[in-house]
Amino acid sequence: MNADLHCHSCHSDGVLSPAALAARAAANGVELWSLTDHDNLGGLDEAREQARALGMRFIDGVEISVTWHGTTIHVVGLGIDPRHAPLEQGLASVRSGRDERALRMADALEALGVRDAYANAMRHAGNPSLVGRSHFARVLVEQGYAPDVHAVFRDYLVRGRPGYIEHQWTALEQAVAWIRGAGGVAVVAHPGRYRISGDQLLRLLGDFRDAGGQAIEVVSGSHGEAEVRHFARLARDFGFYASRASDFHAPDESPIDLGRGAHLPAGVEPVWHAPELGSRAACPA
């Protein structure tokens, strides 16, 4: 199945509307699609409606920001009920700290000479309550500090670089509880992106499983062939379902387009076989 179960719209740090993302996914042959904006559910109704109109199967999703032992981790929730009050309230609590972080990040970047960092980041943000690193990255590219957003993240917006701001997100256990309480499957997003050791990754996956997490992104826009094989082995070792995703944000920024990732390797159980997702994955939206 051509499934793409992680991407972003202008409701978080993507650039396309949910309807435009749906059209792009359908044009690329995606059969099962999920919109997983950061810490909010605002684009799901539009995405679901357009997916239905295009004949795609759709799964409601979200990506939750987590702090685990001082490291920011992202957990995707698939098959969630977007009207589940504890999830909505939890995401609101996560969003409440985002604007403070954005203002501190703007101050740090302006100290480097970036002009009107916050105002310009807001210009890129479709959702003013969700100004994030990608919006600032686009500003730095515009002002000539880096050739593309990937270089900005490498040189300015990761730990140890001048634009990085420490922030305490929600706990891993809490994020998984919100997802499971809303009827969904919790997935560790893009594990190849985290700057942690191999032993720390094993500890993270163990803590995630103990909290009720059920899946890991084996295929991601951040993973090369060797990483796909590695995370397939870890999925088998931990008894996780395997997810397939592009983590698409924008046509000129994302290394993989919607639906264009590698196929899941043999020997893993696709996340769309999870009972929580089975009916939605098997039936047209």
Side-chain angles (χ1 to χ4, degrees), residues 108-187:
L109 293 173
E110 288 183 1
L112 297 174
V114 179
R115 300 183 304 278
D116 299 321
Y118 185 77
N120 281 308
M122 284 286 286
R123 180 168 50 81
H124 287 281
N127 184 343
S129 69
L130 282 161
V131 180
R133 292 186 301 165
S134 292
H135 304 118
F136 285 106
R138 291 166 192 148
V139 173
L140 267 68
V141 172
E142 285 179 345
Q143 295 190 17
Y145 284 86
D148 53 48
V149 296
H150 304 290
V152 174
F153 273 87
R154 182 188 66 235
D155 297 334
Y156 292 93
L157 299 180
V158 294
R159 178 173 282 130
R161 298 300 184 179
Y164 180 79
I165 298 297
E166 293 283 354
H167 186 76
Q168 185 72 29
W169 302 105
T170 196
L172 178 68
E173 296 79 7
Q174 183 63 79
V176 173
W178 289 335
I179 292 167
R180 296 296 302 271
V185 174
V187 186

Side-chain angles (χ1 to χ4, degrees), residues 24-264:
R24 190 179 186 95
N28 287 350
V30 173
E31 301 163 85
L32 177 66
W33 178 52
S34 182
L35 176 64
T36 57
D37 276 321
H38 288 285
D39 304 318
N40 89 103
L41 310 170
L44 291 179
D45 288 345
E46 180 184 337
R48 191 185 315 107
E49 179 179 355
Q50 189 65 14
R52 286 194 181 114
L54 294 168
M56 278 191 302
R57 300 156 186 162
F58 182 76
I59 293 175
D60 289 300
V62 68
E63 185 174 16
I64 303 178
S65 305
V66 164
T67 299
W68 177 82
H69 293 281
T71 297
T72 298
I73 302 293
H74 290 158
V75 176
V76 165
L78 297 176
I80 47 107
D81 173 5
R83 307 295 187 264
H84 184 66
L87 173 63
E88 291 184 294
Q89 293 161 5
L91 295 177
S93 72
V94 176
R95 291 194 301 271
S96 67
R98 274 187 172 271
D99 197 51
E100 178 191 353
R101 183 188 73 146
L103 290 167
R104 293 166 58 209
M105 191 178 300
D107 288 343
L109 293 173
E110 288 183 1
L112 297 174
V114 179
R115 300 183 304 278
D116 299 321
Y118 185 77
N120 281 308
M122 284 286 286
R123 180 168 50 81
H124 287 281
N127 184 343
S129 69
L130 282 161
V131 180
R133 292 186 301 165
S134 292
H135 304 118
F136 285 106
R138 291 166 192 148
V139 173
L140 267 68
V141 172
E142 285 179 345
Q143 295 190 17
Y145 284 86
D148 53 48
V149 296
H150 304 290
V152 174
F153 273 87
R154 182 188 66 235
D155 297 334
Y156 292 93
L157 299 180
V158 294
R159 178 173 282 130
R161 298 300 184 179
Y164 180 79
I165 298 297
E166 293 283 354
H167 186 76
Q168 185 72 29
W169 302 105
T170 196
L172 178 68
E173 296 79 7
Q174 183 63 79
V176 173
W178 289 335
I179 292 167
R180 296 296 302 271
V185 174
V187 186
V188 172
H190 42 62
R193 278 180 46 185
Y194 305 127
R195 295 189 171 193
I196 57 178
S197 69
D199 287 343
Q200 288 173 314
L201 177 61
L202 295 179
R203 183 180 175 190
L204 166 63
L205 296 180
D207 289 350
F208 179 70
R209 181 177 59 187
D210 291 346
Q214 297 166 270
I216 185 174
E217 284 183 0
V218 169
V219 172
S220 167
S222 305
H223 296 169
E225 291 181 13
E227 289 171 309
V228 168
R229 292 192 297 270
H230 176 60
F231 294 122
R233 287 194 297 271
L234 290 179
R236 292 190 293 268
D237 290 346
F238 281 86
F240 288 148
Y241 293 107
S243 191
R244 179 179 188 261
S246 62
D247 193 15
F248 180 85
H249 286 74
D252 298 326
E253 296 175 6
S254 300
I256 292 179
D257 204 347
L258 287 157
R260 296 289 170 81
H263 293 294
L264 288 178

